[in-house]
Amino acid sequence: MRHLMSPLDLSVEELEKLLNLANDIEHNPDKYAHVCDGKRIATLFYEPSTRTRLSFEAAMMNLGGKVLGFSSAASSSAAKGESVADTIRMASCYADIAAMRHPKEGAPLVASMASRIPVINAGDGGHQHPTQTLTDLLTIRSLKGRLDHLVIGLCGDLKFGRTVHSLIEALSRYEGVEFILISPEELRVPDYILEELRAKGIKYKEVVRLEEALPDLDLLYMTRVQKERFFNEEDYVRMKDFYILDKAKMELAGPEMLVLHPLPRVNEISVEVDNDPRAVYFQQVQYGVYVRMALIVTLLELEV
Ligand code: CP
């Protein structure tokens, strides 16, 4: 039985196979409409979510399966003190696979150790968000045609942004990838990730000004400054509007540069950018369903 805690749990070859399956699902949805007949997914969400929870549920329904779960700690027995280990033992009796989001780093890993069913990390605190990364990789590969030889700008909260951490780790395995890390000093990428980049000999630079990076990028990955990760309101208020991507800034970028965002966005991308053909963050959401369908099929080891 396999779980997914980090994008690195899949080898590059396994990832390639998964993305190919996701593209096949995209183009031939009818072929997969009954692959999960009789199967259930439990979505165990201790932290708010729109995309991740609903896309897991849509993915399972598109495959012919059913869904059950909870969308907040308050509406589960966690509110009475039940541990994640006991909760997953219960879910193992009700479902065939589970997706868990939790504000504490490592909680899905703890759950996986007590589980009789595959557990997917659907985001753990400021640590990892592997299925967002699968979504990002499918989007990039589908729209750019490759995952190698790309200059990728990551902008915003690079310190607490779990989507950023997972994406850097995943893209670091491809040849010719370079990172431009765009953040205020207080929200820089954690040192352990920079050390990994240095150890692998991957080119990166850290800059504060988005304008400086834009002309060089193949991809811009915008992120939200996350209020829920700050210990004091004052720091959040000071940094929340540090970056705002608008039409004027988009003019500094090349015609082929794609803008991705894991969403939700607050102010960091002006709505006037939404109609720019380079803005692909809503297409990215659709890819998230295909790749989660492919992941469910893969972890359940179903014949397709
Ligand atoms: N991208 C993402 O994780 O969105 P949600 O928090 O809405 O699930």
Side-chain angles (χ1 to χ4, degrees):
M1 185 177 64
R2 287 189 75 176
H3 308 287
L4 185 78
M5 295 296 125
S6 148
L8 301 187
D9 291 349
L10 297 167
S11 68
V12 171
E13 294 72 29
E14 287 173 322
L15 187 61
E16 181 82 3
K17 214 171 143 193
L18 185 94
L19 299 182
N20 289 344
L21 177 58
N23 281 137
D24 195 50
I25 288 169
E26 174 189 3
H27 298 297
N28 305 290
D30 292 347
K31 192 171 134 190
Y32 298 91
H34 296 286
V35 168
C36 279
D37 280 357
K39 303 284 184 198
R40 292 178 187 172
I41 187 166
T43 51
L44 311 174
F45 276 58
Y46 295 79
E47 200 184 55
S49 167
T50 295
R51 276 146 296 275
T52 311
R53 187 170 65 84
L54 297 186
S55 63
F56 266 117
E57 295 185 355
M60 189 48 128
M61 288 192 265
N62 291 346
L63 293 166
K66 294 196 166 82
V67 301
L68 70 165
F70 52 82
S71 58
S72 71
S75 65
S76 78
S77 283
K80 299 180 226 165
E82 188 161 62
S83 67
V84 291
D86 280 359
T87 301
I88 200 72
R89 285 187 184 102
M90 303 309 114
S92 300
C93 301
Y94 309 141
D96 302 281
I97 188 166
M100 178 180 284
R101 169 169 291 188
H102 203 287
K104 285 213 176 102
E105 289 81 0
L109 179 64
V110 171
S112 71
M113 291 175 197
S115 183
R116 287 190 289 110
I117 58 176
V119 177
I120 300 166
N121 176 3
D124 61 330
H127 185 218
Q128 296 275 350
H129 193 346
T131 63
Q132 181 62 49
T133 298
L134 299 181
T135 301
D136 302 337
L137 296 179
L138 181 65
T139 307
I140 297 166
R141 201 187 73 157
S142 301
L143 301 181
K144 276 279 180 205
R146 66 185 193 280
L147 291 170
D148 53 11
H149 297 96
L150 293 167
V151 180
I152 300 134
L154 298 117
C155 177
D157 176 1
L158 309 189
K159 180 178 180 181
F160 300 112
R162 59 194 175 198
T163 60
V164 167
H165 305 162
S166 290
L167 186 58
I168 292 176
E169 289 196 343
L171 283 171
S172 295
R173 299 192 290 185
Y174 295 90
E175 209 179 312
V177 161
E178 294 178 29
F179 296 105
I180 303 185
L181 306 170
I182 310 151
S183 75
E185 185 62 29
E186 295 91 332
L187 296 177
R188 289 176 54 221
V189 168
D191 282 340
Y192 80 91
I193 293 179
L194 296 181
E195 276 161 27
E196 282 172 16
L197 292 179
R198 287 194 287 271
K200 290 178 187 157
I202 293 166
K203 276 170 88 172
Y204 74 89
K205 69 176 173 181
E206 295 183 275
V207 301
V208 174
R209 291 187 69 243
L210 174 58
E211 292 86 337
E212 189 185 321
L214 276 167
D216 299 326
L217 301 180
D218 295 309
L219 298 170
L220 173 62
Y221 195 84
M222 288 297 290
T223 64
R224 172 177 67 99
V225 174
Q226 303 171 91
K227 188 175 184 189
E228 63 274 28
R229 309 273 177 241
F230 278 81
F231 293 111
N232 77 65
E233 175 91 13
E234 201 182 301
D235 285 347
Y236 169 69
V237 169
R238 192 161 46 81
M239 270 176 278
K240 72 183 173 72
D241 292 330
F242 203 94
Y243 298 107
I244 298 180
L245 182 68
D246 56 17
K247 262 187 169 172
K249 289 198 188 76
M250 286 297 284
E251 281 176 20
L252 301 173
E256 307 293 327
M257 185 197 77
L258 299 182
V259 184
L260 283 81
H261 191 310
L263 306 177
R265 62 117 171 245
V266 187
N267 290 329
E268 63 279 3
I269 302 181
S270 165
V271 291
E272 68 187 18
V273 176
D274 293 356
N275 290 329
D276 188 309
R278 295 168 291 179
V280 297
Y281 29 89
F282 296 126
Q283 270 172 275
Q284 200 178 341
V285 174
Q286 185 64 60
Y287 283 117
V289 179
Y290 303 136
V291 89
R292 288 183 175 98
M293 289 170 74
L295 182 64
I296 290 169
V297 168
T298 302
L299 292 182
L300 288 178
E301 298 178 350
L302 299 172
E303 291 295 325
V304 286

